[in-house]
Amino acid sequence: MLHALITQREGHNMYGKSTDVLEAAYTEFYESMGICLHPVSNFSQNYDYLFDNHYDLLIVTGGGTLHPRHYVTPHKAELQPRRDEKEEKLIMYCVENNIPVIGVCRGMQHINALFGGKISYSAPFRVPRPRGVDHMVKLVNSGRYIKINNFHSDCIYPENLSTMFYPIAVDEENDTIEAFVSPALSILAFQWHPERYFESEEGRLFSRHLIQDFLGIPRDDS
């Protein structure tokens, strides 16, 4: 079994108290591939302890907006400063120590920004992408098309993709990056959510197999 650190959203409960939030879908999805998740609290003051034990990968999750400095134009959305700080330290530590990193949605955007890229806030897509409605993307290497899920409004345009990364999938209609990779940095990132529901079985399996290939796990069709 592999062991993964996974970041969490900063949230608040019904009493206004700060909380860490992790969707159950992450646990269910990664455990189905034999990966045990170890959630990282945004509120722990002790960073060094995280690597007292060996971890095989880091998963940087989705949900929420990053600091305005990472965007092409400023925004005034709610921030998650503790999460941003924790994720940046974790990402850089893993890259420096050859630990694979998987970024999902916001996680993909954060990784791109940390390596010199930019994000477009609430992008005015030529072809609207309603949240929760799947759409087609083109796989760069094969020219094949698959249908993937959509739970975002911010995006990365090709001119704002860090030069450290290579596109895997693109939304041709809106000219946006939907997934990228860096073999040198051991980074794989999705704009969509592999752990959530897909209308298309092909899209679900492609996402699963891409992660398994990246981590050197035997493919399955479960």
Side-chain angles (χ1 to χ4, degrees):
M1 175 171 282
L2 300 181
H3 291 265
L5 291 174
I6 185 167
T7 66
Q8 303 184 81
R9 179 198 285 247
E10 273 187 64
H12 297 88
N13 63 18
M14 61 184 294
Y15 305 106
K17 301 297 183 182
S18 297
T19 60
D20 292 314
V21 181
L22 181 65
E23 288 183 26
Y26 286 105
T27 302
E28 294 165 354
F29 176 71
Y30 286 99
E31 282 191 352
S32 75
M33 291 189 286
I35 301 171
C36 180
L37 300 187
H38 301 264
V40 177
S41 175
N42 295 302
F43 304 94
S44 172
Q45 298 301 310
N46 186 354
Y47 167 78
D48 295 332
Y49 85 94
L50 291 172
F51 294 97
D52 286 348
N53 298 312
H54 170 76
Y55 293 101
D56 300 289
L57 69 145
L58 168 68
I59 302 163
V60 188
T61 57
T65 309
L66 290 156
H67 192 279
R69 69 176 176 272
H70 296 312
Y71 292 78
V72 176
T73 56
H75 67 78
K76 295 184 179 179
E78 183 179 359
L79 302 181
Q80 302 180 58
R82 295 178 186 84
R83 177 187 185 182
D84 289 347
E85 180 183 10
K86 193 78 71 178
E87 286 185 348
E88 181 171 354
K89 288 181 178 179
L90 289 167
I91 292 165
M92 292 309 183
Y93 178 93
C94 288
V95 168
E96 290 167 5
N97 290 275
N98 299 311
I99 299 171
V101 179
I102 295 174
V104 178
C105 201
R106 181 191 195 270
M108 167 177 157
Q109 296 165 5
H110 199 179
I111 291 167
N112 181 57
L114 291 177
F115 288 90
K118 288 287 184 181
I119 311 159
S120 292
Y121 179 75
S122 291
F125 297 132
R126 293 192 299 264
V127 179
R129 298 297 184 214
R131 286 176 181 264
V133 178
D134 288 12
H135 66 88
M136 300 297 293
V137 298
K138 180 181 180 179
L139 304 183
V140 174
N141 287 341
S142 67
R144 182 172 137 229
Y145 291 84
I146 62 167
K147 209 171 186 181
I148 51 92
N149 61 35
N150 178 73
F151 295 96
H152 66 96
S153 56
D154 300 347
C155 72
I156 300 170
Y157 289 109
E159 65 269 23
N160 297 320
L161 179 66
S162 165
T163 56
M164 302 296 291
F165 304 124
Y166 302 94
I168 295 174
V170 296
D171 176 350
E172 283 190 313
E173 292 181 316
N174 289 303
D175 193 28
T176 59
I177 305 297
E178 293 291 330
F180 64 69
V181 68
S182 172
L185 301 179
S186 294
I187 290 175
L188 171 66
F190 301 88
Q191 186 59 76
W192 69 88
H193 283 260
E195 77 287 351
R196 288 183 180 173
Y197 172 77
F198 288 81
E199 295 172 11
S200 160
E201 179 68 4
E202 184 181 32
R204 185 189 72 82
L205 280 178
F206 170 78
S207 304
R208 186 179 185 89
H209 291 164
L210 196 58
I211 291 171
Q212 290 171 328
D213 292 348
F214 175 68
L215 297 174
I217 300 173
R219 286 188 178 190
D220 62 37
D221 295 335
S222 61

